[in-house]
Amino acid sequence: MRTAITLCQVPEAAAGPFVFHQPLTESFPLAKEIGFDDVELFLPGPNHVSVSEIKSLADKHGLGIAAVGTGAGMVKHGLSLTDPSLEKRIAALDFIEQMIAFGGQLGAPAILGSMQGKWGGEVSKDQALEWLADALRIAGKTAAKFNVPFIYEPLNRYETNHINRLTDGADFIEANSLDNIVLLADLFHMNIEETDLAASLRAAGKHVGHVHYADSNRRAMGLGHTNPAPIVDALKEIGYQGHLSAEILPLPDPITAAKETIKSIRSVW
Ligand code: LER
Ligand code: MN
């Protein structure tokens, strides 16, 4: 297991669940100082900052890149893989492929969260899920060229109506024979959708590839009412070796949120 913290450079996501929003030259050293192994990047796109700049920041501060988010494709450009417009779906997949290549060069997988979109209106559920499976098939292949997986994130019902629970994500991967796709277990979304978080992690088992380590209220673990001990036990039992990444609200302030995360992980893992 490795620890990670989210660094956001997207002004449109200023109120989102990301801990540090300052320039990367400031947030990298902060992440290191507080005790994180790695950072998870939420960037406006693949050309905001060069791969070599990120590499030199990572090397300078002794941090790795845990993952890169693609959500800016939605919050900044309004792109979704299940948009009724073919043109927009193509642009969405292109954005994701570029983010896969960006992260891939850093040894980091890309994450599909909000860019999966929603079905409704002129798009049926079956149609949307077919487009989603097609896109994941392509993304998995592209990611494989960089020797990283592609991460698919079930979101809570208020953010998508595709797949809300981890085991439905695992079933979707298996039913569509998707290769090189892993699931993101975001404990905040799971708190809303799952009956028993630990049981769902055990059931999804080998498909779990990344964890957003958040409490019930999306604050740092320890500042809500989730009990992390059985969750960590389940992760250990399934042989989880990925990240516990703090994709959380920077409350009561970013430094406290970051420190509480490290404190929680050290006490339970
Ligand atoms: C992204 O990782 C996520 O969890 C979403 O809630 C962002 O919209
Ligand atoms: Mn998440």
Side-chain angles (χ1 to χ4, degrees), residues 2-184:
R2 290 177 71 81
T3 58
I5 185 161
T6 47
L7 311 184
C8 176
Q9 292 289 285
V10 182
E12 291 84 349
F18 308 105
V19 182
F20 292 131
H21 294 260
Q22 49 270 75
L24 298 175
T25 48
E26 292 170 28
S27 54
F28 267 73
L30 269 175
K32 183 66 183 180
E33 197 183 305
I34 295 169
F36 287 91
D37 300 317
D38 296 324
V39 293
E40 180 173 323
L41 302 175
F42 195 78
L43 303 174
N47 303 313
H48 174 75
V49 47
S50 69
V51 168
S52 61
E53 264 175 89
I54 299 288
K55 267 189 186 152
S56 73
L57 276 171
D59 289 350
K60 181 172 173 193
H61 299 290
L63 292 159
I65 311 303
V68 298
T70 61
M74 169 60 85
V75 300
K76 216 177 165 64
H77 309 292
L79 296 173
S80 137
L81 292 171
T82 54
D83 193 285
S85 149
L86 172 64
E87 206 178 313
K88 283 221 173 151
R89 293 198 303 279
I90 290 173
L93 186 55
D94 181 57
F95 184 90
I96 285 167
E97 295 243 274
Q98 289 190 55
M99 290 307 294
I100 293 171
F102 178 84
Q105 293 170 74
L106 297 160
I111 298 169
L112 174 63
S114 59
M115 281 192 76
Q116 68 187 278
K118 293 175 185 173
W119 62 268
E122 54 191 290
V123 179
S124 69
K125 182 171 189 178
D126 283 353
Q127 177 64 85
L129 291 179
E130 195 184 315
W131 286 337
L132 180 62
D134 290 346
L136 286 174
R137 194 165 286 114
I138 294 167
K141 275 202 186 105
T142 305
K145 291 184 196 152
F146 297 94
N147 283 317
V148 292
F150 184 66
I151 303 174
Y152 172 68
E153 179 173 24
L155 303 173
N156 74 68
R157 67 190 71 181
Y158 308 106
E159 297 189 36
T160 190
N161 50 13
H162 290 158
I163 292 167
N164 305 121
R165 291 185 304 179
L166 216 54
T167 47
D168 291 336
D171 291 347
F172 188 72
I173 288 173
E174 286 175 15
N176 290 286
S177 306
L178 297 174
D179 287 331
N180 202 34
I181 303 296
V182 296
L183 294 175
L184 200 170

